[in-house]
Amino acid sequence: MRLLVIGIWAALLWLERGEAAVFSHRRHVQKEELKCKDCHVAAWTSAQAGDDLMPTPAACADCHDSGQVSTTFTAPARIIRFAHRHHVETLKMSCEQCHAGMGQLEAPAPVAVLPAMDTCMNCHNAEAAPRECETCH
């Protein structure tokens, strides 16, 4: 249910800004069988939450002709300490563990896909990972 609300919110946000919601994670993940790292290349080396992990024009150009799609994506602001590299390389976590349901979204969702604190607390429970606020905040 949460994902449905997030998807609808994102579509309305894009339409409100006068832009068509033309990007579909579902199509790229299911039909084209792309993996997160195919487009979000920088996530595997990202050491800071503020890193821009949105696809670059070069990443899109691997499959699309220049001008075929808009390749201007805005990275959401982040106010926590977080390293994707540590989570995907060292801990061997999958993207879906934190970004659940991403492959189902039909509309761009720049802020909505950031995990909520409840998601982080699934592992940061003082057993599997530190629970102290200072770990991330």
Side-chain angles (χ1 to χ4, degrees), residues 6-132:
I6 289 170
I8 292 170
W9 173 83
L12 290 174
L13 177 67
W14 279 68
L15 292 173
E16 179 181 296
R17 290 176 20 199
E19 301 171 19
V22 295
F23 183 83
S24 169
H25 273 93
R26 181 185 304 219
R27 177 189 168 134
H28 287 80
V29 171
Q30 293 180 4
K31 185 177 180 200
E32 305 301 332
E33 298 181 354
L34 294 174
K35 304 294 181 211
C36 303
K37 65 182 175 182
D38 293 329
C39 301
H40 298 278
V41 179
W44 272 249
T45 58
S46 171
Q48 301 201 13
D51 292 343
D52 185 354
L53 306 179
M54 295 295 111
T56 63
C60 298
D62 284 346
C63 301
H64 298 281
D65 293 332
S66 178
Q68 185 181 10
V69 294
S70 171
T71 55
T72 304
F73 301 106
T74 304
R78 296 169 182 93
I79 54 170
I80 62 168
R81 285 189 297 277
F82 182 83
H84 276 91
R85 179 177 55 208
H86 174 72
H87 289 79
V88 297
E89 284 188 5
T90 306
L91 301 177
K92 306 295 184 207
M93 292 176 66
S94 71
C95 302
E96 292 79 14
Q97 285 180 260
C98 299
H99 299 277
M102 175 55 82
Q104 302 299 314
L105 294 179
E106 288 288 353
V111 175
V113 298
L114 294 177
M117 190 165 168
D118 287 348
T119 302
C120 302
M121 294 284 109
N122 286 332
C123 295
H124 286 270
N125 57 14
E127 293 174 22
R131 184 178 178 87
E132 293 79 20

